[in-house]
Amino acid sequence: MHINQRQLFFNHLAQTSDFPLAIEIDRAEGVYMYGTNGQRYLDLISGIGVSNVGHRHPAVLAAIQQQMDKYLHLMVYGEFVQSPQVRLAEALTQTLNLPQAQTAPYGRINNVYFSNSGTEAIEGALKLAKRFTGRPEVISCFNAYHGATQGALSLSGAEFFKRNFRPLIPGIRQIQHGATADLDMITNKTAAVVIEVVGGEAGVRVPEVAYMQALRKRCTEVGALLILDEIQTGFGRTGTFWAFEPYGIYPDVLVSAKGMGGGMPIGAFMASQEVMSVFKNNPILGHITTFGGHPVSCAASLATLTVIRDQQLEEQANAKGDLIKSLIQHPMVKEIRGKGLMLAAEFDSFEVLKKVIDRCIERGVITDWFLFCDNSMRIAPPLTITEAQIKEGCEIILGVLEVGV
Ligand code: PMP
């Protein structure tokens, strides 16, 4: 008997909107996903911000296979010496061995705490900042997204998403991303500022170098930790391995997830040993997790990191992003902005954009909009996308725009 998977999806999977894409994929490879309907889809959003090295990268699959043959879960986090965790932590901290680390108040980031997801990593980073500084307040940005659990949701810069879940955690204040005048709100009561370098869900907002430097300076002056959320921007997405690198600043805590796992679930928050060591006492076991840093996810992540670095995919992201910017030129596109392969093409309205997105999907190209910017099209393909595949995708988008909506 043929079971209609789509119907079962609607019957039995918790729905988060009345209009899920509900595309059924049979398999995925590289930049393509293959639907059960026979359609081949070009993935221009990396599902979302995850498949930086494409779907099922052979090096990632091999690393998963090798680890599967050794062990899966052994013990809760932080007790046993698990080689995939150790090797990944070492490799991550090597990416953070940058000259600007010397100017960071607590020195170079050399400690990694692994989680299962982005929002969990944010939760851990929040606890770390409160415990390290002993302060009550945290600052985040309007229109920022840091996750859906209660702490991360409290940071969210959109009242619409928070209102019906209150009470959330107290002591959170919002500033405008990129507005130097707001930096005065960071005071000696502030435990941390949590901020994305490039504001993702706000619709890809690239700040000025001077702003990021002023932010760093202010945090240092008042003793607040600078927590950079690189969950979307890290692992080569914006043209450097970490988005903060070209800004000449260095965070106190760095948060990663999404693209980090090469398609496997993993997140991390990273800090210097001095900062991280507060979790050891008062209370002992200040932050614990069962599955954080799962050995298979860590193995996949190390393979992902190695592929990006060896093939210099982060550098390629710049030329590829520029190519997309040059191709997506059309009167219906008001602006195309972004950095590396993290791009947003702005339309007149959500209504227009939604029609364009739907028609692109019919023609086999997956794009999307942003949580807090619904008139802009998300374009963030795997960093492995080729020039020919970029042209193929852009031609389909332009073809849809030519017909008009
Ligand atoms: N921070 C940012 C910047 C994100 O883009 C996301 C996910 N969209 C998160 C945090 C939360 O990550 P996760 O969905 O893995 O919890």
Side-chain angles (χ1 to χ4, degrees):
M1 191 184 77
H2 176 72
I3 304 168
N4 184 338
Q5 298 285 325
R6 211 165 171 275
Q7 198 49 52
L8 291 175
F9 166 83
F10 281 104
N11 288 351
H12 299 304
L13 264 102
Q15 300 294 317
T16 55
S17 83
D18 282 326
F19 42 91
L21 292 171
I23 299 167
E24 191 182 346
I25 299 298
D26 182 45
R27 68 194 168 84
E29 194 87 55
V31 295
Y32 294 109
M33 300 185 284
Y34 299 87
T36 50
N37 58 1
Q39 175 73 269
R40 185 181 79 169
Y41 297 99
L42 177 63
D43 183 358
L44 288 190
I45 53 173
S46 308
I48 282 176
V50 170
S51 317
N52 287 16
V53 294
H55 294 270
R56 298 178 69 248
H57 191 286
V60 175
L61 296 187
I64 291 173
Q65 185 66 55
Q66 274 170 25
Q67 186 51 41
M68 271 167 51
D69 291 343
K70 290 185 176 163
Y71 54 83
L72 302 180
H73 176 84
L74 293 180
M75 179 55 175
V76 297
Y77 181 76
E79 295 295 335
F80 283 12
V81 180
Q82 302 189 36
S83 140
Q85 291 179 346
V86 176
R87 290 175 61 209
L88 175 58
E90 188 197 20
L92 283 167
T93 61
Q94 274 167 5
T95 67
L96 293 163
N97 192 6
L98 301 165
Q100 61 259 43
Q102 287 161 12
T103 62
Y106 306 106
R108 181 159 101 74
I109 291 179
N110 57 3
N111 257 231
V112 183
Y113 193 115
F114 289 117
S115 67
N116 303 288
S117 65
T119 200
E120 280 176 73
I122 291 286
E123 298 292 335
L126 280 178
K127 281 176 68 184
L128 181 64
K130 284 185 166 174
R131 171 70 186 82
F132 183 75
T133 62
R135 297 177 181 184
E137 286 185 6
V138 177
I139 291 193
S140 62
C141 290
F142 290 111
N143 286 339
Y145 182 76
H146 297 290
T149 52
Q150 298 211 31
L153 178 63
S154 306
L155 297 175
S156 164
E159 190 51 31
F160 167 78
F161 279 105
K162 295 197 279 193
R163 191 174 297 132
N164 291 334
F165 300 106
R166 290 194 185 282
L168 292 170
I169 62 170
I172 311 265
R173 304 172 77 196
Q174 257 88 44
I175 57 173
Q176 196 73 47
H177 192 267
T180 310
D182 286 6
L183 297 180
D184 288 349
M185 285 168 69
I186 306 166
T187 68
N188 58 11
K189 289 201 183 66
T190 311
V193 177
V194 183
I195 188 168
E196 295 165 90
V197 180
V198 176
E201 295 309 315
V204 188
R205 308 294 166 176
V206 183
E208 301 285 333
V209 171
Y211 172 75
M212 291 308 286
Q213 294 195 346
L215 170 67
R216 172 68 270 183
K217 189 160 167 271
R218 181 72 185 161
C219 287
T220 305
E221 271 165 15
V222 300
L225 296 188
L226 177 60
I227 302 179
L228 294 185
D229 177 345
E230 292 237 24
I231 290 172
Q232 224 176 111
T233 53
F235 275 67
R237 173 59 56 196
T238 68
T240 41
F241 195 82
W242 302 109
F244 75 79
E245 290 175 44
Y247 288 86
I249 59 160
Y250 199 79
D252 300 310
V253 182
L254 180 66
V255 188
S256 180
K258 279 189 178 278
M260 179 184 173
M264 293 293 282
I266 188 166
F269 59 100
M270 302 166 245
S272 70
Q273 195 163 35
E274 180 189 346
V275 174
M276 201 69 97
S277 64
V278 294
F279 279 149
K280 289 196 290 188
N281 52 63
N282 199 16
I284 185 173
L285 303 176
H287 195 65
I288 50 180
T289 168
T290 298
F291 285 126
H294 192 281
V296 177
S297 295
C298 285
S301 178
L302 180 61
T304 305
L305 186 156
T306 308
V307 167
I308 293 174
R309 291 251 112 158
D310 285 356
Q311 299 180 12
Q312 295 167 339
L313 289 179
E314 64 268 54
E315 273 174 53
Q316 291 183 32
N318 287 317
K320 290 174 183 177
D322 287 345
L323 178 62
I324 296 177
K325 279 182 180 165
S326 71
L327 291 174
I328 303 285
Q329 294 291 331
H330 189 275
M332 283 175 73
V333 179
K334 304 288 150 212
E335 179 189 34
I336 177 154
R337 59 178 176 270
K339 213 160 189 261
L341 277 172
M342 186 166 174
L343 302 170
E346 188 169 315
F347 288 79
D348 264 338
S349 66
F350 173 69
E351 288 66 34
V352 172
L353 173 61
K354 178 78 171 79
K355 283 185 193 151
V356 173
I357 289 173
D358 288 348
R359 289 186 191 161
C360 285
I361 292 174
E362 282 164 22
R363 296 179 186 201
V365 169
I366 309 276
T367 63
D368 191 21
W369 61 93
F370 298 89
L371 268 180
F372 306 124
C373 183
D374 67 8
N375 70 353
S376 295
M377 176 188 269
R378 184 195 303 269
I379 305 177
L383 311 181
T384 50
I385 194 168
T386 64
E387 210 178 294
Q389 289 162 341
I390 287 175
K391 286 182 180 154
E392 173 196 322
C394 291
E395 264 166 37
I396 292 176
I397 296 172
L398 289 171
V400 166
L401 300 184
E402 271 319 303
V403 177
V405 293

